[in-house]
Amino acid sequence: MPSTGSPITRMREPLGHPTSTIPEAPRERWRKAFVAVRAETERRAARLSPEDQVVQSMPDASPAKWHRAHTTWFFEQFLVTPNLPGYKAFDPQFAYLFNSYYVAAGPRHARPMRGLVTRPGVAAVGDYRAHVDAAVTKLIAEADDETLARIVPIVEIGLNHEQQHQELMLTDILHAFAHNPTAPAYDADWHPPGAAGENGFVDLTEGIHTIGHDDGSFCFDNEGPAHRELVGPVRIARALVSNGEWLAFMRDGGYANAALWLSDGWNMVQAEGWTAPGYWAEIDGTWHSLTLAGRQPVDAAAPVCHISYYEADAFARWAGKHLPSEAEWEVAARSGGLADAFGIVWQWTRSAYAPYPGYRATEGALGEYNGKFMVNQMVLRGSSLATPDGHSRVTYRNFFYPAARWQFTGLRLADYPA
Ligand SMILES: [Fe+2]
């Protein structure tokens, strides 16, 4: 669900008064938020063996151990080292190992080689996390009011950053498990979230709407500035596209009909041999999918998952419809008409990932967080079954390359009024 009422966003209240005495309660709430998010990472990692945590199944996916260390480095690099007097790095070599893509923060290990780093081991990464956890909680507890007001936004982006990696831990291990012939279960008791499956469309008449984040709570810089866009007339499907509908597309030769596909998409179909969504396999005449609970028969009523932008686009063309733009999606979601907007699958939009009018990246190294990726990717809206509680919101802009399908990605359709 949107995070307008999340514990994290509620804790921003002291920020409006940076020069006043900050009461004890907000300081304690920030500490608790930090401890809770850090614990969720470890809770997700606890189901993974040391061997699970080392594997890197492709350059785009990272080992779980790396996610645990990189999120820790983020706090060490941007929060603790510059702000906690006398802080001693756990290991000076870790900055090289666990910097992801921040050029301004120094040189780093090559991304495709992360799976070759067997040391530090899982236990040492746990020690690294504990070392930085202690430093962050000390900083939050002991910083003077002025320093606290300055560092709270860094704590907040660090927590949101770690929540993003919590989702990636699951998408990345599922990709690794997909290469294991025994189809391991991350959690044998896991069940997919139920979809409301409402029928019909949200009708949007032509109008000018405000798009983007404007309520003062936390957002990533790519969600603003809020601005006005002309939207509609258009109809946005209330339901996500289901596996049953996708099977109909497959039976109709959707993956074999070049006329349905973008040129780049058709090239991917040919090169990768795509005949079904990611992780699908036909066993004894029945389609199965690898899920977090292991290999399961495909549920025709459930939303389709693990599809690329190219597949979503081809499906929409086959259905005689199109994908919503991100502005159309946001207006429909704000109207309350999209019951399955959050917590099931990210939904591809037809919008290229580009800066909003007036966008300026944050200054300094953290300005590399979003802005430098604003080309050649497509925007996804909503959130997925792997998104941590309190992390999603109606203005959230996720983005991936159009061929990517190891994320929990699906679609909803849009249509023009008759
Ligand atoms: Fe990161």
Side-chain angles (χ1 to χ4, degrees):
M1 297 298 294
S3 69
T4 49
S6 76
I8 288 174
T9 51
R10 279 201 301 271
M11 275 177 250
R12 288 178 60 84
E13 60 184 68
L15 292 177
H17 311 278
T19 57
S20 66
T21 299
I22 296 175
E24 185 75 13
R27 196 185 287 264
E28 176 61 9
R29 289 208 299 277
W30 277 111
R31 188 191 67 78
K32 285 182 176 170
F34 177 78
V35 169
V37 170
R38 297 284 284 171
E40 174 63 13
T41 302
E42 296 299 83
R43 190 186 71 80
R44 293 185 181 213
R47 293 186 178 280
L48 302 174
S49 70
E51 293 85 352
D52 290 335
Q53 291 197 37
V54 175
V55 70
Q56 179 175 28
S57 55
M58 64 172 169
D60 283 343
S62 296
K65 185 181 72 176
W66 183 89
H67 286 299
R68 294 173 61 216
H70 162 70
T71 49
T72 304
W73 166 82
F74 190 97
F75 282 111
E76 184 177 57
Q77 173 74 27
F78 297 119
L79 178 68
V80 176
T81 299
N83 293 296
L84 184 64
Y87 174 74
K88 194 168 180 303
F90 180 81
D91 184 330
Q93 293 183 309
F94 282 13
Y96 183 86
L97 281 180
F98 300 124
N99 178 359
S100 53
Y101 55 67
Y102 296 89
V103 176
R108 71 218 66 84
H109 188 55
R111 178 175 182 157
M113 312 293 270
R114 288 172 185 166
L116 300 179
V117 177
T118 58
R119 300 182 186 189
V122 165
V125 167
D127 293 343
Y128 178 41
R129 288 182 65 88
H131 179 84
V132 173
D133 285 350
V136 172
T137 50
K138 176 180 167 70
L139 178 60
I140 292 173
E142 298 180 2
D144 60 47
D145 290 357
E146 194 176 333
T147 301
L148 186 69
R150 186 168 47 75
I151 66 170
V152 154
I154 307 170
V155 174
E156 191 165 39
I157 197 169
L159 295 177
N160 280 271
H161 169 255
E162 182 141 350
Q163 288 180 312
Q164 291 182 314
H165 280 276
Q166 288 167 0
E167 174 149 3
L168 295 174
M169 284 173 68
L170 298 192
T171 61
D172 293 1
I173 198 63
L174 189 63
H175 189 266
F177 284 169
H179 290 76
N180 185 328
T182 68
Y186 167 77
D187 175 3
D189 296 326
W190 178 84
H191 294 288
E198 294 179 356
N199 294 322
F201 291 84
V202 177
D203 279 285
L204 303 178
T205 56
E206 182 177 305
I208 295 174
H209 296 265
T210 296
I211 304 298
H213 193 83
D214 63 355
D215 73 3
S217 61
F218 175 82
C219 70
F220 287 110
D221 64 0
N222 63 2
E223 296 169 58
H227 59 283
R228 299 196 301 166
E229 285 199 25
L230 178 63
V231 172
V234 68
R235 310 161 69 203
I236 311 298
R238 295 183 188 277
L240 301 165
V241 168
S242 70
N243 288 321
E245 292 168 307
W246 203 270
L247 286 162
F249 169 70
M250 291 163 57
R251 281 194 297 269
D252 198 40
Y255 280 94
N257 182 358
L260 296 173
W261 293 79
L262 295 166
S263 177
D264 287 353
W266 185 245
N267 288 343
M268 284 299 296
V269 169
Q270 302 295 302
E272 299 295 323
W274 287 347
T275 59
Y279 306 148
W280 280 34
E282 195 169 22
I283 301 171
D284 297 331
T286 301
W287 282 102
H288 288 68
S289 176
L290 184 67
T291 73
L292 293 174
R295 186 178 286 140
Q296 302 286 332
V298 167
D299 175 3
V304 68
C305 190
H306 301 300
I307 52 153
S308 63
Y309 176 81
Y310 295 134
E311 290 163 287
D313 176 84
F315 178 94
R317 190 165 295 104
W318 171 78
K321 297 182 170 53
H322 61 273
L323 298 177
S325 71
E326 62 170 319
E328 291 167 356
W329 188 100
E330 185 171 324
V331 173
R334 284 182 188 273
S335 79
L338 306 183
D340 296 329
F342 299 96
I344 301 175
V345 287
W346 291 99
Q347 297 132 65
W348 288 106
T349 75
R350 70 171 188 275
S351 298
Y353 182 48
Y356 283 162
Y359 170 80
R360 285 187 199 279
T362 309
E363 287 193 10
L366 285 174
E368 296 184 51
Y369 200 111
N370 284 308
K372 71 181 186 181
F373 299 108
M374 289 177 172
V375 69
N376 295 336
Q377 306 201 56
M378 302 303 287
V379 173
L380 301 101
R381 289 303 198 99
S383 65
S384 87
L385 57 90
T387 310
D389 289 345
H391 186 70
S392 54
R393 56 189 162 268
V394 77
T395 58
Y396 200 105
R397 305 176 78 200
N398 201 351
F399 51 94
F400 278 95
Y401 291 101
R405 59 180 196 168
W406 90 105
Q407 298 297 305
F408 296 100
T409 47
L411 76 160
R412 73 176 64 245
L413 296 173
D415 197 7
Y416 296 113

